[in-house]
């Protein structure tokens, strides 16, 4: 073994230029894949965090079936015990009760269909980001329950302005029609036209009254301290929900609520696999080419070694060790550099400028490029490249295995 | 004592349309302690015969016996072990493993045999001392002259006390004086250690020292 390492190590330095070049190819591939994956993971994570914090929360507690068919009667009440547990859970930062319904909003002779969302303004200000999306006027108030917020587009469609009085009409929990006058206190912009044209926010107490909810809610958006604790927080909540008498309450982690977002992430991951494959092929053929070149150059000495009684596996193994050393060195260096770059951009996001900012915002993304230093990125890349260098060695190994002493000695 | 027996060995090379009979029913016995030279003009089949004796090549017909064992039934790995344990080789040139120093080259077979470092080092130093090449111990092949390399190759070939050393034109790439020195060395080992040498050569320096001379012509032995 000692001999094998000695021979392998010296052979690496014998043609050090070539070894270094091969290593650089590995360094480059590892670096590039890690940086790419870092940006992808980091930016996705940042966007997910941002989106979740904006409104939906990380986990939602809903009445069963509400997610797929959100009707007002799929409601539940929060009891004191549950509230206490939610408040004392170490992973939970806060939570926002919400009532969701559909109805009509009318001003003068004009009326439009709208989603009606009842919110607790104090809880939202503490936990969610969307109060910052008020572009004009004031946020839903805990003092004056008549104040509502409407989307920018809706304000336009209604031909209304701030301070206008509107009437909201909706079927209540008990089947009767409720209607009430409200004042448009503020206008928000989420960036999503559909949402901005079809949504109003009102105080949850006003919604409770309008819709005769009797203190019931449709969903509870739970905000946790750190996305990494999603699993454990969900599990905690699930066992809490199970112990309730009020059966049929479900605990949904974000990806079961925002299925589109989850899908976008998965799709992009698949898209990136393509680039990774191309890079792997480049590196794979690079290594293959070098190894083939370096063994055919040495057929003569392998021939001598075989004539002296060296078994084939020793030669195969010794060249394998060379390949592995070069590949491992390249992987280490590439990982190190990628780690440095990724950790910088994980902390200092790269801000997009000009038109990109607008484009990203309109698409509902953050106009910022983040990176990530998640160990999963680096280990998966390392394993990938390492596997490629092993895989690529199959053919040279076969050539070496087939070499005979005489063919080697005669080879020129 | 006959250590090697070649029994009507024929070797035919097929290159495209023409078949070349490199060896034509060659029979030959080699005794322990011989300093045997196989001579003949270029293309007469010297290298082919040496390679077949050295188990590096297979005959088309005929048999080779090494210490009365028919080697035609040996597997690839068994032949490999046979060469490692019983045979020494000296080629015309580029004998040494380039990344190993002279002493490591000499130790190479012993390393493959799993002989402990201290033992093999001692044995290698002894043989280098015998051959007067101590000062080459830590030199790499590319730091040595052709003659020096061939002397290291001799040391490597004989260090394991092989049954026989096969040397295919070992002096062909050397100038006449260096060639003589190398032959002195091998003759000395032959006399002192009773090591059997088989050479191929068309060099008169070599032929003159033969304890027995075999002449090949068109793949046949014409005198014995
Ligand atoms: N690998 C081969 N393929 C085809 N023909 C071969 C091969 N090796 C040798 N020959 C032919 O076999 C014959 C004997 O060759 P061999 O090398 O044994 O001769 P030699 O006596 O060693 O010659 P030289 O003195 O030039 O080394 C020659 O005609 C040669 O062309
Ligand atoms: Mg020859």
């Amino acid at each position: 073994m000692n001999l094998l390492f000695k021979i392998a190590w010296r052979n690496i330095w014998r043609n050090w230029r070539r070894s270094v070049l091969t290593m650089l190819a590995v360094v480059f591939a590892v670096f590039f894949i890690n940086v790419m994956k870092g940006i992808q993971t980091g930016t996705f994570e940042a966007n997910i965090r941002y989106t979740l914090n904006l409104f939906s929360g990380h986990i939602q507690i809903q009445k069963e079936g509400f997610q797929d068919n959100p009707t007002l009667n799929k409601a539940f009440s929060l009891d004191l015990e549950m509230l206490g547990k939610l408040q004392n859970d170490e992973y939970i930062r806060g939570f926002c009760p919400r009532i969701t319904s559909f109805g009509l909003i009318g001003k003068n002779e004009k009326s439009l269909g709208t989603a009606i969302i009842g919110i607790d303004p104090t809880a939202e200000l503490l936990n969610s980001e969307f109060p910052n999306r008020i572009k004009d006027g004031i946020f839903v108030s805990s003092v004056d329950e008549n104040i509502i917020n409407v989307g920018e587009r809706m304000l336009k469609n209604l031909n209304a302005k701030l301070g206008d009085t509107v009437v909201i009409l909706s079927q209540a929990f008990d089947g009767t029609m409720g209607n009430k006058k409200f004042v448009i206190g503020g206008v928000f912009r989420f960036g999503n036209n559909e949402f901005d044209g079809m949504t109003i926010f009102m105080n949850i107490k006003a919604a409770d009254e309008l819709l005769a909810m009797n203190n019931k809610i449709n969903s509870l958006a739970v905000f946790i301290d750190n996305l990494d604790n999603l699993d454990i927080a969900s599990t905690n909540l699930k066992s809490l929900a199970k112990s309730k008498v009020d059966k049929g309450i479900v605990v949904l982690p974000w990806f079961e609520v925002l299925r589109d977002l989850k899908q976008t992430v998965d799709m992009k991951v698949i898209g990136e696999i393509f680039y990774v494959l191309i890079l792997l092929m480049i590196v794979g053929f690079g290594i293959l080419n070098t190894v083939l070149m370096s063994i055919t150059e040495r057929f003569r000495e392998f021939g001598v070694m075989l004539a002296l009684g060296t078994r084939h596996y020793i030669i195969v193994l010794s060249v394998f060790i060379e390949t592995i050393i070069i590949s491992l060195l390249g992987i280490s260096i590439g990982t190190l550099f990628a780690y440095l770059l990724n950790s910088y951009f994980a902390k200092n996001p790269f801000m997009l400028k000009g038109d990109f900012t607008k484009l990203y915002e309109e698409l509902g993304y953050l106009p910022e490029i983040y990176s990530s230093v998640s160990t999963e990125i680096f280990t998966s890349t390392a394993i990938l490249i390492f596997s490629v260098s092993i895989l690529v060695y199959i053919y040279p190994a076969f050539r070496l295995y087939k070499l005979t002493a005489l063919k080697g000695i005669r080879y020129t | 004592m006959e250590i090697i027996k070649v029994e009507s060995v024929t070797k035919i090379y097929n290159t495209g349309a023409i078949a070349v009979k490199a060896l034509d029913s060659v029979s030959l016995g080699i005794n322990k302690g011989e300093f045997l030279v196989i001579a003949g003009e270029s293309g007469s089949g010297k290298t082919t015969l040496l390679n077949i004796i050295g188990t590096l090549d297979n005959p088309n017909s005929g048999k080779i016996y090494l210490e009365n064992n028919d080697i035609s039934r040996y597997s690839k790995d068994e032949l490999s072990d046979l060469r490692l344990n019983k045979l020494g080789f000296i080629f015309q040139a580029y004998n040494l493993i380039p990344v190993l120093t002279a002493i490591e080259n000499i130790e190479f077979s012993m390393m493959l045999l799993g002989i402990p470092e201290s033992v093999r080092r001692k044995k290698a130093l002894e043989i280098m001392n015998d051959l007067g090449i101590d000062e080459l111990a830590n030199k790499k092949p590319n730091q040595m002259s052709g003659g020096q390399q061939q002397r290291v190759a001799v040391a490597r070939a004989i260090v394991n006390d092989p049954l026989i050393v096969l040397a295919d034109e070992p002096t062909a790439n050397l100038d006449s004086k260096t060639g003589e020195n190398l032959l002195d060395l091998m003759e000395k080992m032959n006399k002192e250690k009773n090591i059997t040498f088989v050479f191929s050569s068309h060099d008169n320096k070599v032929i003159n020292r033969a304890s027995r001379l075999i002449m090949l012509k068109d793949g046949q032995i014409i005198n014995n």
Side-chain angles (χ1 to χ4, degrees):
Chain A
M1 211 53 191
N2 192 10
L3 169 71
L4 286 182
F5 269 108
K6 194 185 271 181
I7 293 182
W9 184 251
R10 289 189 195 164
N11 270 315
I12 290 174
W13 296 111
R14 180 172 170 194
N15 197 331
W16 67 270
R17 258 176 243 270
R18 183 164 60 202
S19 304
V20 166
L21 259 158
T22 315
M23 211 176 70
L24 282 179
V26 176
V27 169
F28 172 77
V30 169
F31 178 78
F32 199 78
I33 292 176
N34 279 334
V35 168
M36 201 168 73
K37 278 195 187 168
I39 287 173
Q40 186 196 66
T41 311
T43 307
F44 277 168
E45 275 179 10
N47 273 292
I48 289 167
R49 270 194 195 101
Y50 169 79
T51 308
L52 301 186
N53 281 325
L54 182 65
F55 184 66
S56 78
H58 306 97
I59 302 168
Q60 287 220 359
I61 301 177
Q62 300 176 350
K63 184 81 177 182
E64 199 169 5
F66 181 81
Q67 174 64 26
D68 293 317
N69 184 14
T71 54
L72 188 65
N73 61 340
K74 284 168 191 139
F76 62 99
S77 43
L78 277 176
D79 56 33
L80 281 176
E81 188 207 340
M82 195 144 173
L83 279 173
K85 289 223 165 114
L86 282 166
Q87 259 151 5
N88 292 327
D89 192 305
E90 56 176 320
Y91 301 111
I92 295 176
R93 196 181 75 208
F95 47 89
C96 301
R98 287 168 191 162
I99 293 172
T100 311
S101 181
F102 295 92
L104 289 172
I105 178 168
K107 193 204 152 222
N108 304 332
E109 67 287 353
K110 228 182 166 123
S111 72
L112 297 168
T114 183
I116 301 163
I117 303 176
I119 53 164
D120 173 351
T122 320
E124 300 291 353
L125 281 166
L126 271 173
N127 296 303
S128 60
E129 292 290 334
F130 85 90
N132 301 328
R133 291 306 181 95
I134 298 294
K135 293 291 158 198
D136 218 352
I138 57 161
F139 187 53
V140 171
S141 160
S142 50
V143 184
D144 183 350
E145 289 168 19
N146 286 322
I147 287 178
I148 62 163
N149 293 149
V150 305
E152 202 174 39
R153 204 176 171 85
M154 176 176 281
L155 190 76
K156 216 172 116 202
N157 292 346
L158 276 177
N159 274 328
K161 55 185 190 307
L162 284 185
D164 282 358
T165 300
V166 289
V167 176
I168 291 173
L169 189 76
S170 176
Q171 186 168 37
F173 193 80
D174 54 10
T176 60
M177 289 305 280
N179 73 82
K180 203 168 179 283
K181 282 186 178 167
F182 290 91
V183 176
I184 300 175
V187 181
F188 60 83
R189 183 169 70 206
F190 271 54
N192 179 323
N193 278 340
E194 205 184 329
F195 193 86
D196 291 347
M198 281 201 63
T199 315
I200 67 157
F201 290 111
M202 66 168 67
N203 190 305
I204 196 164
K205 284 183 198 140
D208 188 270
E209 199 178 310
L210 174 74
L211 303 166
M213 293 301 282
N214 243 324
N215 277 327
K216 284 194 170 64
I217 58 169
N218 296 115
S219 67
L220 187 76
V222 178
F223 294 82
I224 60 177
D225 59 342
N226 187 339
L227 204 50
D228 297 337
N229 297 326
L230 184 70
D231 287 343
I232 184 154
S234 307
T235 316
N236 284 354
L237 285 177
K238 275 178 187 159
S239 65
L240 176 62
K242 226 176 251 161
S243 72
K244 298 311 300 172
V245 204
D246 191 354
K247 292 278 191 268
I249 292 178
V250 290
V251 174
L252 304 174
W254 69 267
F255 48 82
E256 288 180 39
V257 178
L258 302 175
R259 290 185 194 136
D260 289 355
L261 181 62
K262 171 76 175 153
Q263 238 170 31
T264 315
V265 172
D266 292 346
M267 292 261 289
K268 289 215 173 165
V269 170
I270 290 168
E272 306 273 346
I273 288 174
F274 179 72
Y275 295 105
V276 171
L277 275 181
I278 288 181
L279 266 172
L280 287 183
M281 272 177 41
I282 294 173
V283 177
F285 278 110
I287 297 175
L288 178 64
N289 188 42
T290 328
V291 175
L292 274 183
M293 220 153 66
S294 90
I295 65 167
T296 39
E297 262 172 26
R298 284 187 272 159
F299 270 180
R300 216 200 139 81
E301 63 197 75
F302 293 144
V304 170
M305 284 165 81
L306 289 171
L308 297 181
T310 312
R311 293 274 188 98
H312 278 88
Y313 83 89
I314 290 188
I315 293 170
V316 172
L317 212 59
S318 132
V319 180
F320 183 62
I321 293 170
E322 284 173 45
T323 315
I324 292 303
I325 290 177
I326 290 180
S327 150
L328 284 182
L329 275 176
I331 289 171
S332 313
I333 297 171
T335 305
L336 178 74
F337 281 118
Y339 181 84
L340 293 177
L341 194 82
N342 285 10
S343 54
Y344 177 80
F345 281 113
K347 286 183 202 113
N348 312 287
F350 175 78
M351 301 290 175
L352 292 173
K353 296 203 178 74
D355 292 344
F356 277 113
T357 314
K358 261 207 205 116
L359 180 71
Y360 269 61
E361 272 176 348
E362 262 161 35
L363 291 170
Y365 296 124
L366 283 174
E368 291 159 22
I369 303 293
Y370 281 84
S371 190
S372 166
V373 284
S374 151
T375 41
E376 196 266 322
I377 295 172
F378 300 107
T379 46
S380 67
T381 308
I383 290 170
L384 208 63
I385 298 278
F386 191 67
S387 314
V388 165
S389 40
I390 290 176
L391 206 68
V392 139
Y393 187 62
I394 292 173
Y395 179 62
F398 175 77
R399 292 281 309 264
L400 286 174
Y401 192 76
K402 286 279 145 199
L403 187 70
T404 62
L406 270 195
K407 260 192 234 142
I409 291 165
R410 285 205 202 108
Y411 195 91
T412 35
Chain B
M1 188 181 62
E2 200 170 67
I3 49 175
I4 285 173
K5 198 160 104 195
V6 178
E7 211 174 74
S8 49
V9 159
T10 298
K11 178 72 183 178
I12 298 164
Y13 287 112
N14 286 304
T15 8
I18 20 157
V20 178
K21 219 176 208 179
L23 291 177
D24 186 1
S25 288
V26 170
S27 293
L28 168 72
I30 300 168
N31 295 316
K32 174 106 186 106
E34 279 201 272
F35 205 70
L36 177 70
V37 176
I38 299 166
E41 40 189 74
S42 185
S44 58
K46 305 182 294 291
T47 299
T48 307
L49 180 57
L50 233 54
N51 286 341
I52 287 176
I53 295 172
T55 81
L56 301 176
D57 209 351
N58 303 309
N60 293 80
S61 65
K63 293 222 151 107
I64 307 290
Y65 296 90
L66 251 108
E67 294 182 309
N68 294 321
N69 295 313
D70 178 3
I71 60 161
S72 61
R73 286 196 302 265
Y74 280 34
S75 72
K76 186 168 126 175
D77 282 343
E78 281 170 336
L79 288 177
S80 187
D81 287 351
L82 178 83
R83 292 197 296 272
L84 181 61
N85 288 295
K86 302 267 175 180
L87 306 180
F89 287 91
I90 302 164
F91 301 104
Q92 196 170 319
Y94 310 113
N95 269 290
L96 305 179
I97 299 164
V99 290
L100 299 182
T101 62
I103 194 158
E104 285 166 345
N105 263 287
I106 295 167
E107 287 178 62
F108 185 76
S109 298
M110 291 189 277
M111 292 195 246
L112 294 179
L113 286 167
I115 294 170
E117 164 134 36
S118 56
V119 178
R120 57 175 203 245
R121 190 58 27 144
K122 191 165 159 262
K123 239 178 141 183
L125 281 171
E126 252 169 43
I127 207 89
M128 291 188 98
N129 199 33
D130 281 353
L131 299 179
I133 51 173
D134 323 46
E135 75 279 5
L136 300 176
N138 294 316
K139 290 205 166 154
K140 292 261 178 74
N142 62 4
Q143 299 167 314
M144 291 186 261
S145 71
Q148 288 173 327
Q149 286 184 43
Q150 287 304 73
R151 273 183 276 179
V152 174
V154 170
R156 186 184 61 190
I158 64 176
V159 70
N160 268 334
D161 301 315
L163 185 67
I164 188 167
V165 173
L166 300 163
D168 189 11
E169 308 201 35
T171 58
N173 280 24
L174 305 177
D175 63 59
S176 137
K177 191 167 161 278
T178 318
E180 292 282 4
N181 284 340
L182 191 75
L183 286 166
D184 288 343
L185 222 74
M186 292 193 275
E187 211 169 24
K188 188 174 157 220
M189 291 299 120
N190 174 252
K191 297 238 162 72
E192 286 177 5
K193 304 196 175 204
N194 200 28
I195 295 172
T196 313
F197 281 87
V198 177
F199 297 91
S200 84
S201 189
H202 40 207
D203 179 352
N204 279 328
K205 296 193 298 291
V206 183
I207 293 168
N208 289 338
R209 301 195 187 219
S211 67
R212 179 154 66 111
L213 182 68
I214 285 172
M215 290 292 289
L216 274 181
K217 189 173 194 314
D218 300 331
Q220 287 183 314
I221 295 177
I222 52 171
N223 90 303
N224 194 339

